[in-house]
Amino acid sequence: MLNQTLTAVPRDCEDCPIRHRAVCARCEADELEQLDKIKYYRSFEAGQTIIWSGDQMDFVGSVVKGIATLTQTMEDGRTQMVGLLLPSDFVGRPGRGSAAYNVVATTDMVMCCFRKKPFEVMMSQTPHIAQRLLEMTLDELDAAREWMLVLGRKTAREKIASLLSIIARRNATLNLADVTGSMVFDLPLTREAMADYLGLTLETVSRQISSLKKDGIIQLEGKRHVTVPDFDRLLAEAGDDSDGGMLA
C-alpha cells in the first residue's frame, strides 16, 4: 500500500467522483453515514496485486481512481486476463469468503473499501445497497457475455474498436457526458496490456490502432490521449449497433 496521503480523493461521499455509479448510489444521508463508519481508503501502485485468487477477503469496495485487471492462473502456470475493473466497479462478493480471481492494479489506484462483515450486515438491512449491488452484478454478467463475443468472434480490428468503445462509454458516463458524437478520453491501458487482454500480439494491437487512426476513426495525441470524432463510427468498426451494444 502506498504511503502518500489521499488528498486528491474526496472523503465526503457527496463529493465522490463515482458516487452516481457506485454501490452507494441510491443511499440516503443516514445510510451514507452508516457506510462512513465502516469505510477506509487504500492506495495501490501500478503492478501491485490487490488480492490473490483463493485468499480470504476481509474487505469489499469500489474502484475510485485507476484501473485493475481480473486474472486467473491455469494449472500449467499460464495467466489469462478475464476482466477489467474501471472506476465505480465493485471488488469482492458479500457472502463469499475467498477471492475468485487475482486482482492486479494496472495503474496507480485508489479504492474505497468497506469492512466485509459489517458491510454484509448493512446490506441485509439496507434495500438501497442490496438493489444497487444486484444491478451491478447483472451488468457485470451482461458485460462478461459480451466480452465472450469480443474474444471469440471478432476480428483484431473489431476487438480494438470494442475495447476503445467500452472505455470511451465508461469515461463519458462517469463524467455525466453524452455517449454520442465526439468523445475524448485517456487510454488507461498500455498497448502491452491491451494485447494481453484481447489475446493479440503487441504488433497486431499497434497495427490496428494505426489503421484506425489512418482511417479517421480515432485521433491520438501521444500514445494515450484519444479523440473519437464520431462515436457511431467507432461502434460500427466494433461491429456494434448505434444504441451501444456494450455496457458502460
Side-chain angles (χ1 to χ4, degrees):
M1 185 167 61
L2 297 178
N3 292 322
Q4 74 252 35
T5 60
L6 303 178
T7 54
V9 179
R11 298 294 183 133
D12 188 339
C13 291
E14 294 297 336
D15 297 325
C16 179
I18 63 167
R19 170 78 168 87
H20 59 291
R21 283 188 56 90
V23 70
C24 56
R26 296 184 177 180
C27 288
E28 304 291 346
D30 60 327
E31 296 165 340
L32 290 176
E33 187 176 342
Q34 293 180 59
L35 280 175
D36 192 61
K37 294 176 181 178
I38 63 172
K39 83 176 182 184
Y40 58 95
Y41 291 97
R42 291 187 66 183
S43 293
F44 301 90
E45 293 179 324
Q48 184 176 355
T49 299
I50 298 169
I51 191 75
W52 292 102
S53 174
D55 281 357
Q56 295 296 308
M57 290 194 66
D58 59 2
F59 73 93
V60 295
S62 298
V63 178
V64 179
K65 297 178 66 176
I67 186 171
T69 58
L70 297 174
T71 64
Q72 195 163 41
T73 304
M74 293 177 280
E75 289 185 0
D76 61 3
R78 289 177 296 165
T79 299
Q80 175 63 51
M81 196 182 303
V82 296
L84 289 176
L85 292 172
L86 301 171
S88 80
D89 283 340
F90 196 74
V91 180
R93 289 291 181 269
R96 178 185 290 172
S98 60
Y101 304 102
N102 305 317
V103 182
V104 181
T106 301
T107 66
D108 290 346
M109 279 185 62
V110 176
M111 286 186 58
C112 177
C113 301
F114 305 102
R115 289 184 286 119
K116 188 166 177 286
K117 291 298 184 182
F119 183 86
E120 289 173 342
V121 171
M122 188 173 175
M123 190 179 75
S124 68
Q125 300 172 347
T126 309
H128 288 151
I129 293 177
Q131 291 168 2
R132 178 59 184 148
L133 190 58
L134 175 60
E135 289 176 355
M136 295 173 76
T137 302
L138 293 175
D139 285 347
E140 183 180 314
L141 177 61
D142 285 343
R145 288 169 172 166
E146 183 66 34
W147 200 246
M148 289 174 63
L149 172 64
V150 172
L151 295 180
R153 294 295 181 181
K154 293 195 174 185
T155 66
R157 182 180 174 100
E158 287 173 337
K159 288 179 180 182
I160 297 296
S162 294
L163 181 57
L164 292 174
S165 68
I166 289 171
I167 295 171
R169 185 187 299 278
R170 173 62 65 87
N171 183 75
T173 304
L174 284 171
N175 290 291
L176 301 177
D178 291 334
V179 190
T180 56
S182 178
M183 302 175 72
V184 180
F185 60 94
D186 289 321
L187 189 62
L189 295 171
T190 64
R191 294 189 182 186
E192 290 85 351
M194 291 174 67
D196 187 20
Y197 189 40
L198 294 168
L200 302 172
T201 65
L202 174 59
E203 292 75 14
T204 298
V205 170
S206 295
R207 186 166 58 250
Q208 295 302 330
I209 288 177
S210 296
S211 177
L212 289 171
K213 178 181 177 182
K214 179 181 178 181
D215 293 342
I217 307 300
I218 62 172
Q219 299 168 2
L220 288 177
E221 184 178 332
K223 290 187 175 181
R224 297 289 189 92
H225 192 68
V226 180
T227 298
V228 179
D230 184 343
F231 190 59
D232 283 344
R233 285 191 68 196
L234 179 63
L235 289 177
E237 292 295 333
D240 300 316
D241 55 31
S242 61
D243 68 358
M246 284 198 179
L247 292 176

